[in-house]
């Protein structure tokens, strides 16, 4: 199904909610009612993004289904389907086929930006001391230490902490010396960054469908330096936490989109109400985010956000839908609920949906649509 620019009505939500199964119960008889809403502009637009792809995202998906609206998961294909703690391939495919957007979050949650070095480095040192050791999480990763004049490549052997502080262990001594300071930093090599950006997208599309992964969320919100120059070659948009989460609807910068965490330790219910008032009253596009595996983002919090958005006539959309609506980038064609081009991954353990639950979810989506017509 292709969604065209400006298709902002309840019909969009209706088609998202029921998927291809709608045809089997003859929903064509409802087209007059749904079409009546096509002329009703929403007060604003809102996207909800869940980071990492834990199995708890499926619970959030269930909450969204009750309101007949989609959401977004920023997922790591190297973690999906790996254990009961992460979304299974069956859950990912079901969510995607019901309008949920999956966004790249690197392969195994690597930090893509740059981190300052806080201790001087002498030639031959096998330990470097950055502000954070995120680049030292995986042995064998290629990194580069650089300043305004020099750069030296090295290979990660691990990380740890000693009397000096947190460090990254190198496989062999570094070839250059560097003075600590804001201009001396560590990041992954350009070749490795490109590999991550490419393989993360391709890996996710093995779970959903080809050309469906269009956007990127930076792990740890690390977006500074070279990666911010490379990402536009691979992705349409890269929303990043800015603590505000309000973006212009007119000509928004897809690489400058801000998002705000909606977890209970970041926003009160009053904060959320004020945020959504701004979305509804100003020409703003709101993006809220969170981690469903955290205790600070229970399903009740998401239900509250969606209820408040509904009361304000705010249309909940995916990031890519919003970019389509705002005329920034067209949404890719979806084969919603179809059987063509099925991914190679068979559904694995970790909470696959039983047939009776799928039927109940379908009925709930129908009811959610009718509820939206009269609210």
């Amino acid at each position: 199904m292709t969604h065209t620019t400006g298709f902002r009505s309840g019909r969009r939500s209706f088609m998202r909610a029921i998927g291809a199964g709608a045809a089997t119960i003859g929903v064509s008889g409802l087209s007059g009612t749904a079409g009546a809403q096509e002329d009703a502009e929403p007060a604003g637009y809102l996207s909800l993004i869940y980071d990492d792809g834990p199995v708890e995202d499926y619970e959030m998906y269930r909450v969204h289904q009750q309101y007949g609206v989609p959401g977004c998961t920023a997922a790591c294909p190297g973690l999906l389907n790996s254990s009961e703690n992460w979304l299974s391939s069956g859950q990912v495919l079901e969510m995607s086929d019901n309008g949920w957007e999956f966004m790249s979050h690197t392969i195994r949650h690597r930090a893509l930006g740059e981190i300052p070095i806080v201790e001087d480095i002498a030639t031959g040192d096998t330990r470097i001391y950055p502000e954070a050791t995120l680049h030292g999480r995986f042995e064998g990763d290629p990194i580069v230490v650089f300043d305004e004049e020099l750069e030296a490549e090295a290979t990660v052997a691990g990380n740890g902490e000693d009397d000096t502080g947190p460090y990254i262990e190198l496989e062999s001594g570094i070839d250059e010396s560097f003075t600590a300071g804001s201009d001396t930093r560590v990041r992954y090599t350009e070749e490795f960054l490109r590999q991550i950006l490419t393989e993360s997208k391709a890996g996710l599309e093995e779970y959903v469908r080809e050309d469906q992964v269009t956007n990127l969320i930076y792990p740890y919100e690390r977006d500074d330096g070279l990666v911010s120059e490379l990402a536009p070659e691979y992705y349409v948009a890269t929303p990043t936490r800015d603590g505000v989460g309000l973006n212009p609807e007119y000509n928004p910068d897809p690489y400058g989109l801000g998002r705000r965490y909606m977890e209970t330790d970041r926003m009160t219910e009053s904060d959320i109400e004020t945020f959504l008032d701004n979305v509804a009253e100003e020409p703003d596009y709101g993006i809220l985010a969170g981690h469903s595996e955290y205790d600070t983002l229970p399903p009740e919090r998401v239900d509250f956000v969606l209820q408040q958005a509904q009361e304000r006539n705010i249309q909940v959309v995916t990031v890519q839908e919003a970019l389509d609506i705002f005329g920034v980038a067209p949404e890719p064609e979806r084969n919603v609920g179809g059987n063509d081009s099925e991914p190679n991954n068979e559904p694995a353990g970790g909470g696959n949906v039983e047939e009776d639950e799928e039927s109940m979810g379908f009925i709930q989506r129908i009811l959610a649509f009718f509820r939206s017509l009269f609210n």
Side-chain angles (χ1 to χ4, degrees):
M1 180 186 303
T2 303
H3 301 291
T4 57
T5 302
F7 193 47
R8 310 179 181 185
S9 66
R11 186 174 180 181
R12 174 192 288 270
S13 297
F14 174 61
M15 294 306 293
R16 284 284 189 232
I18 66 173
T24 64
I25 62 170
V27 296
S28 59
L30 302 175
S31 60
T33 304
Q37 281 204 315
E38 287 190 22
D39 295 331
E41 284 289 312
Y45 296 92
L46 173 70
S47 294
L48 272 60
I49 303 173
Y50 304 93
D51 287 4
D52 305 340
V55 69
E56 289 84 359
D57 277 9
Y58 190 77
E59 190 172 2
M60 301 307 177
Y61 161 73
R62 288 292 205 184
V63 176
H64 280 247
Q65 289 290 81
Q66 293 173 16
Y67 288 86
V69 298
C72 308
T73 286
C76 304
L79 300 177
L80 293 177
N81 219 36
S82 62
S83 76
E84 63 182 11
N85 296 323
W86 303 98
L87 289 171
S88 72
S89 55
Q91 290 168 334
V92 172
L93 185 57
E94 178 192 347
M95 294 163 72
S96 176
D97 276 356
N98 282 283
W100 203 269
E101 178 179 352
F102 280 85
M103 314 171 80
S104 171
H105 203 43
T106 78
I107 304 167
R108 293 188 62 84
H109 208 268
R110 284 176 168 89
L112 299 181
E114 304 171 351
I115 297 179
I117 298 294
V118 297
E119 296 288 337
D120 292 348
I121 301 173
T123 303
D125 280 354
T126 57
R127 287 183 178 180
I128 61 173
Y129 295 85
E131 196 174 80
T133 61
L134 297 174
H135 294 99
R137 295 174 58 224
F138 299 97
E139 293 183 18
D141 280 1
I143 59 173
V144 57
V145 178
F146 64 98
D147 59 18
E148 293 180 339
E149 298 178 355
L150 300 172
E151 66 175 45
E153 294 189 9
T155 302
V156 172
N159 62 13
E161 185 170 357
D162 58 18
D163 292 340
T164 303
Y167 63 82
I168 296 175
E169 190 80 26
L170 308 178
E171 284 189 358
S172 59
I174 198 163
D175 294 336
E176 302 285 352
S177 61
F178 297 90
T179 301
S182 59
D183 292 332
T184 303
R185 295 174 169 256
V186 61
R187 58 165 168 79
Y188 292 123
T189 64
E190 178 176 345
E191 181 181 6
F192 191 50
L193 284 172
R194 289 185 179 277
Q195 178 183 334
I196 293 171
L197 294 172
T198 301
E199 294 184 0
S200 175
K201 176 181 173 68
L204 270 184
E205 289 180 345
E206 290 182 6
Y207 286 90
V208 289
R209 302 185 190 280
E210 187 176 358
D211 298 326
Q212 295 302 303
V213 179
T214 56
N215 303 311
L216 169 75
I217 298 296
Y218 295 102
Y220 308 104
E221 309 293 346
R222 297 279 183 172
D223 64 338
D224 54 327
L226 179 61
V227 72
S228 65
E229 301 174 17
L230 300 180
E233 297 181 27
Y234 302 87
Y235 297 96
V236 171
T238 56
T240 306
R241 178 177 62 86
D242 67 352
V244 178
L246 296 172
N247 305 279
E249 290 186 4
Y250 175 73
N251 197 28
D253 176 6
Y255 303 106
L257 294 175
R259 62 185 197 146
R260 182 176 179 180
Y261 287 131
M262 59 181 164
E263 290 145 349
T264 56
D265 60 341
R266 304 296 187 105
M267 297 180 76
T268 65
E269 288 190 351
S270 177
D271 291 335
I272 289 173
E273 290 175 325
T274 299
F275 177 87
L276 294 176
D277 285 341
N278 286 328
V279 172
E281 295 170 5
E282 302 293 335
D284 288 333
Y285 163 47
I287 304 179
L288 293 174
H291 300 78
S292 65
E293 68 269 39
Y294 293 178
D295 291 339
T296 51
L297 189 59
E300 294 77 16
R301 167 50 60 101
V302 175
D303 183 79
F304 177 79
V305 171
L306 294 178
Q307 181 184 38
Q308 294 298 314
Q310 184 182 69
E311 290 179 1
R312 290 163 174 77
N313 190 30
I314 295 171
Q315 180 71 49
V316 178
V317 295
T318 67
V319 171
Q320 187 56 55
E321 282 179 317
L323 297 177
D324 185 346
I325 291 168
F326 303 148
V328 175
E331 185 183 4
E333 183 173 344
R334 286 182 178 269
N335 183 23
V336 178
N339 294 318
D340 297 334
S341 304
E342 291 290 347
N344 295 325
N345 294 284
E346 293 297 326
N352 289 338
V353 184
E354 299 293 339
E355 290 183 2
D356 57 342
E357 291 179 336
E358 289 178 347
S359 299
M360 181 58 68
F362 175 72
I363 293 171
Q364 289 175 341
R365 293 193 293 274
I366 293 289
L367 294 176
F369 166 70
F370 283 111
R371 184 172 62 243
S372 70
L373 293 179
F374 298 103
N375 285 336

